[in-house]
Amino acid sequence: MIDPDTVTLPSVEVFSPDIEKYTFGNKVNTITEAELINFQGWPFSDFLQKRTGLFLRQYGSGMLSSLTMRGTSAGHNAVFWNGLPINSPSLGQSDFSIIPVGGFDQASVHFGSGGALYGTDAIGGAVHLTNKLKFGEGHQVRIGSLFGSFGIWNQQLEYGFSNQQFSARTRVYRNFSENDFPFLNITKFGTPMERQDHAKVIQQGGIEDLAWKINSKNLISSSIWWNGTEREIQPIMGSNTKDFQTDTNLRWVLDYFHFSKNKVWNLKSGLVRDDQVFNTSRNQTIQYFLAADMDWEIGRNWNSKTGIRYTYIVGNLSTFRAQESRIELYQSTNFQPNEKLSFSFNLRQMVFDRKIAPFTPSLGGEWQVWENQSSQILFKSNLARSFKVPTLNDRFWVPGGNQDLKSEKSWSGEMSLVYSFKKDNFDLNQRMTYYRMKVDNWIIWLPKGNIWNPQNIREVQNSGVEYSLELSQKIRNWNLALTTNYAWTQAINQTDISENDRSKGNQLPFTPEQKFQSLFSIGKGVFSTFLNFQRVGERFTGTDGSGRLEPYQLWDLGSNCNWSFKKLSGNIGFQINNLFNTDYQVMPLRAMPGRNYQFNLNIRI
């Protein structure tokens, strides 16, 4: 039997790893290509901020955007592209503002601890970006353009060809934003209206996807992604700094799959190269990957995956040079004793720089509590350990690096109730999740005289509730849909770092306790309209609970029309963002755009 990771059809084959296969008890959300279509060229950070319950710390429009999941830091979230970890080994995180929507086909978000499945960094969660392989579709051309306020002009061109054995697709894009939006300058007397200066963003890149079905048992695929971003760094209000930053990213992955009767063998190699120039400071890291695993259907109720991954890292930073080797062994097992019970057990051990990272197990389960013809109730639970190894900067930065740092480690648990109801043209899905997490050896940089130095000082306890709702109803020719996400997050510091420190017992800075997001859409035939709402609660700017950023709420309104003419088809859309022209700040003194407009057109041949 072919592994469930592979879906085989007579004329079209789509192959991609099943992120959810060994994640029983976890919350995993999949973002489809259709959901991303109206955000082509936009930073992925904008989509996550607007359309999910996740919060990103955005330092301005198109500027640095770091993801925080369940109250953890930006470095506690692993990010993958086609199975390759792409977090910077020097910074330990990814900047979501330079990941363009359009650079991938699908995204999956794993909420909560994932160290046993993915390795370092996945304390708060993980994000997986995937390029999908398709066969048997012939020649395809897609042209996409998006125009918007403040000089936004995003363009993308795609050509693909595939038959039953071979698939190739080429994408090129160029995204531009002048970012000259007006804002209220609260640092000046009278709060005058000014126009943002020095915040231009230019991005361009290309992606090539190739796949060859050698025969029914062997498949080779490869993807390469070059992405370049030039930014004028938006200054804080009241400042006239003129900083520039250039980021160049090269990612390449090669996969070989062998399908036997009850096994799938995968050999993966890859390269991730990141070059960054900030003013005149140059930093480069290169990661080389080699991995192998076997996914095995042991019996009717058992699945197992065993693998090894080797990573070699070279860092040429502005103040130091360093190399590091990592070896990881991992084992995942699924057991389904009957139709109502499912369990997954995952193990991982990493050795880095001749040091042993914390051993990371996880155990998850799902129980079908109740079911009838129209509804179902599931109970899900998961207990997991995760870790984060110190970054290259943490250990080797000159001056201040600390090679004696320990890995950060965490224990977390979560429970969920999932209710689904389907009858005739009505479909309802709800999920309520409660989680608790404890992170030890949290690394923070502290001053020692005139030099800042990283130390394993902080201990943080995170807990919260997440609620999601998906509802759809068809009434005659009308389609109505509603999605809602709510997150209540507490990330409480448990330690004072000095005698005068008063941070113990307070919410971590820049972490909202509450975020709410809801999207309502209505459509008939080829036309549809949506209204999106998000509310972000207050955030503290000081570790002791001092300083406060006001809560804000934003509304977006848009419409879309699908069309076709002979051999041409596509969609055309119009959107108003920040409908009520709200003045707000995600981070202190970082201006954000008011009401703005966008027009997008996609053509398929």
Side-chain angles (χ1 to χ4, degrees), residues 438-504:
K438 180 181 179 182
V439 184
D440 290 324
N441 294 334
W442 193 308
I443 297 173
I444 60 173
W445 285 69
L446 300 170
K448 282 190 173 181
N450 295 324
I451 297 176
W452 287 73
N453 178 263
Q455 300 177 44
N456 294 108
I457 294 290
R458 184 169 286 169
E459 176 187 324
V460 178
Q461 289 190 2
N462 304 55
S463 62
V465 174
E466 296 165 343
Y467 172 76
S468 62
L469 166 72
E470 296 179 356
L471 183 152
S472 63
Q473 171 74 64
K474 185 173 183 180
I475 304 175
R476 296 182 181 178
N477 296 324
W478 293 89
N479 296 303
L480 288 77
L482 174 68
T483 62
T484 294
N485 294 284
Y486 171 75
W488 174 70
T489 305
Q490 285 198 321
I492 307 301
N493 182 27
Q494 301 296 311
T495 52
D496 288 329
I497 59 178
S498 68
E499 293 183 0
N500 297 322
D501 186 26
R502 295 178 294 175
S503 59
K504 184 177 180 179

Side-chain angles (χ1 to χ4, degrees), residues 119-270:
T120 183
D121 303 348
I123 289 177
V127 177
H128 300 263
L129 312 176
T130 306
N131 293 20
K132 299 171 67 175
L133 303 178
K134 301 179 181 181
F135 292 88
E137 296 192 343
H139 296 275
Q140 288 192 331
V141 176
R142 187 166 74 87
I143 303 170
S145 291
L146 186 150
F147 304 88
S149 303
F150 317 128
I152 293 176
W153 186 19
N154 301 333
Q155 299 170 290
Q156 181 168 316
L157 175 63
E158 175 182 322
Y159 168 73
F161 169 77
S162 64
N163 55 28
Q164 298 301 322
Q165 282 74 42
F166 179 74
S167 175
R169 181 169 53 160
T170 302
R171 282 176 279 184
V172 293
Y173 56 85
R174 183 182 187 274
N175 307 318
F176 175 83
S177 177
E178 192 69 45
N179 254 343
D180 56 348
F181 55 88
F183 70 97
L184 293 173
N185 192 336
I186 62 174
T187 65
K188 293 185 178 181
F189 179 76
T191 318
M193 180 69 73
E194 297 184 356
R195 188 165 288 275
Q196 183 64 60
D197 185 31
H198 196 78
K200 184 187 300 182
V201 180
I202 304 174
Q203 184 177 65
Q204 53 194 350
I207 304 162
E208 183 69 36
D209 299 317
L210 298 168
W212 177 33
K213 287 196 297 184
I214 303 172
N215 50 45
S216 61
K217 293 186 176 181
N218 297 281
L219 170 70
I220 295 177
S221 67
S222 179
S223 294
I224 187 168
W225 183 8
W226 179 84
N227 182 58
T229 309
E230 298 179 11
R231 286 184 288 188
E232 299 174 340
I233 301 302
Q234 176 182 324
I236 64 173
M237 296 181 192
S239 172
N240 294 315
T241 57
K242 300 292 182 180
D243 294 323
F244 292 86
Q245 182 171 313
T246 300
D247 292 273
T248 306
N249 314 105
L250 178 65
R251 298 154 184 154
W252 169 77
V253 62
L254 174 66
D255 279 293
Y256 166 71
F257 296 95
H258 175 73
F259 308 95
S260 61
K261 182 179 180 180
N262 60 348
K263 298 181 181 69
V264 176
W265 299 82
N266 176 214
L267 180 64
K268 181 189 294 286
S269 61

Side-chain angles (χ1 to χ4, degrees), residues 414-448:
E414 64 181 87
M415 297 182 295
S416 298
L417 274 179
V418 181
Y419 173 72
S420 59
F421 177 85
K422 184 176 180 64
K423 187 175 182 179
D424 299 328
N425 295 320
F426 181 76
D427 199 348
L428 171 68
N429 292 280
Q430 296 183 86
R431 178 167 184 152
M432 179 77 76
T433 301
Y434 172 76
Y435 65 87
R436 288 187 65 88
M437 180 190 311
K438 180 181 179 182
V439 184
D440 290 324
N441 294 334
W442 193 308
I443 297 173
I444 60 173
W445 285 69
L446 300 170
K448 282 190 173 181

